[in-house]
């Protein structure tokens, strides 16, 4: 599904990613953890096609095409979805209006007709229930006046409606109460299938107790410094990232 090789990227002349290698097979859920400022959001944003970054080396293959050659809209149409760490508010633009435009843009890209209004509303009604949102919230301006947790539920709502092939969720679990965390986890598990892959950027083991990842990678200093199975989260929770750096350094010497 996704093959990242030696990816280097800069922001305003400052190197942030320093040779990221990451392989995510189709059908798998991979978690990316790592200290603050290690480049996790940078990586997520670059994959989604945000253009504030300069790619200075490396390649990203997605579904056997070069992802970096596609613009953000094309990537979305090809099934890439980014759940933002900080979802933006777009007052005055209804959530449902935006979603329907997104669904139809993708259908147009595939040469399909626009979605039938009744079918769209049926899908909305069943999906809002899945994420614990009211119809009133679904119709409101995008994230307008939503609490932090409601914004994260809304990201999952959008993801479930768009059924992406590759979902990248940037700290969608941060700031959630236990019920919202379970809802978010259920949403992620609901999309889990042999045809789809998911990248979960997270700081906390608690999400990974509800969504058991196939692999966990630790990003530090703009590189993947450690990869392992789900048990790596326990190790990190017990010892922190600092211990990992010491281990890595002593292994190298
Ligand atoms: P993480 O998500 O792992 O906490 P980020 O990818 O958000 O880390 O940031 C990595 C580093 O890049 C940080 O030091 C951050 O300050 C810097 N950075 C990210 N975006 C910008 C930007 N637009 N301008 C300048 N520095 C940036
Ligand atoms: Mg981040």
């Amino acid at each position: 599904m996704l093959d990242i090789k030696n990816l280097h990227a800069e922001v305003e002349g400052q190197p942030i990613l320093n040779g990221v290698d990451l392989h995510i097979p189709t059908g798998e859920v991979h978690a990316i953890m790592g200290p603050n400022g290690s480049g996790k959001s940078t990586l997520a944003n670059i994959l989604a096609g945000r253009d504030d970054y300069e790619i200075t080396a490396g390649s990203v293959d997605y579904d056997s095409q070069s992802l970096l050659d596609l613009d953000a809209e094309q990537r979305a149409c090809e099934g890439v979805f980014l759940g933002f760490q900080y979802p933006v508010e777009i007052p005055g633009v209804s959530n449902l209006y935006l979603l329907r435009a997104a669904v139809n843009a993708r259908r147009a890209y595939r040469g399909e007709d626009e979605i039938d209004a009744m079918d769209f509303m049926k899908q909305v009604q069943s999906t809002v229930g899945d994420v614990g949102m009211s119809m009133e919230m679904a119709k409101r301006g995008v994230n307008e006046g939503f609490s932090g947790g409601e914004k994260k539920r809304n990201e999952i709502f959008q993801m479930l409606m768009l059924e992406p092939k590759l979902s990248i969720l940037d700290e969608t679990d941060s700031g959630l109460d236990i019920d919202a965390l379970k809802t978010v986890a259920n949403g992620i598990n609901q999309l889990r299938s042999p045809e789809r892959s998911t990248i979960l950027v997270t700081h906390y083991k608690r999400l990974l107790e509800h969504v058991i990842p196939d692999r966990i990678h630790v990003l530090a200093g703009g590189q993947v410094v450690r990869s392992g199975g789900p048990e790596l989260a326990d190790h990190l929770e017990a010892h922190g990232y600092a211990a990992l750096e010491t281990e890595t350094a002593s292994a190298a010497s």
Side-chain angles (χ1 to χ4, degrees):
M1 174 75 68
L2 192 70
D3 209 7
I4 304 175
K5 289 201 186 108
N6 190 34
L7 188 65
H8 286 69
E10 296 181 349
V11 178
E12 289 160 15
Q14 174 104 3
I16 311 281
L17 300 184
N18 299 302
V20 173
D21 288 296
L22 202 57
H23 176 71
I24 302 187
T26 307
E28 294 197 356
V29 173
H30 287 211
I32 296 181
M33 305 181 83
N36 291 324
S38 59
K40 302 181 300 296
S41 293
T42 301
L43 178 62
N45 291 338
I46 285 174
L47 293 177
R50 193 170 150 179
D51 54 14
D52 307 337
Y53 306 93
E54 197 192 339
I55 314 294
T56 50
S59 64
V60 180
D61 287 332
Y62 164 71
D63 230 9
S64 41
Q65 52 188 328
S66 172
L67 189 69
L68 302 176
D69 293 340
L70 307 178
D71 63 30
E73 284 79 4
Q74 286 170 315
R75 295 182 202 191
C77 287
E78 292 286 344
V80 177
F81 176 88
L82 173 65
F84 296 114
Q85 180 170 4
Y86 304 110
V88 289
E89 297 192 21
I90 318 176
V93 175
S94 133
N95 237 333
L96 290 190
Y97 180 87
L98 177 76
L99 257 183
R100 204 167 133 187
V103 167
N104 281 331
R106 210 181 43 185
R107 290 173 76 106
Y109 184 83
R110 294 182 186 153
E112 297 166 4
D113 290 339
E114 291 201 343
I115 189 167
D116 175 80
M118 294 281 282
D119 290 343
F120 177 74
M121 284 314 289
K122 262 190 222 154
Q123 202 187 334
V124 166
Q125 260 147 4
S126 74
T127 311
V128 286
D130 292 340
V131 297
M133 264 171 73
S134 65
M135 270 313 269
E136 184 273 324
M137 267 177 73
K139 287 179 183 167
R140 231 191 278 170
V142 178
N143 293 320
E144 195 174 354
F146 285 22
S147 71
E150 287 169 344
K151 285 181 185 170
K152 299 299 174 99
R153 280 180 200 259
N154 197 25
E155 296 293 294
I156 296 297
F157 171 57
Q158 292 173 8
M159 180 186 81
L160 290 176
M161 287 294 296
L162 292 168
E163 301 185 318
K165 271 199 286 194
L166 175 66
S167 301
I168 305 158
L169 300 174
D170 192 358
E171 296 202 27
T172 304
D173 56 331
S174 289
L176 297 184
D177 63 36
I178 295 159
D179 293 337
L181 180 77
K182 283 190 183 152
T183 304
V184 162
N186 287 342
I188 298 167
N189 284 327
Q190 200 174 318
L191 270 195
R192 220 168 166 159
S193 87
E195 293 84 45
R196 301 179 206 285
S197 305
T198 305
I199 297 174
L200 300 176
V201 175
T202 182
H203 277 295
Y204 304 105
K205 203 179 85 131
R206 52 180 207 156
L207 176 69
L208 305 180
E209 283 165 355
H210 297 283
V211 184
I212 312 284
D214 294 285
R215 300 283 290 165
I216 296 178
H217 309 278
V218 178
L219 197 68
Q223 284 183 318
V224 176
V225 296
R226 180 71 73 91
S227 296
E231 72 287 346
L232 184 53
D234 299 316
H235 182 83
L236 294 171
E237 189 116 311
H239 304 288
Y241 297 118
L244 202 64
E245 278 164 33
T246 322
E247 287 164 31
T248 310
S250 58
S253 63

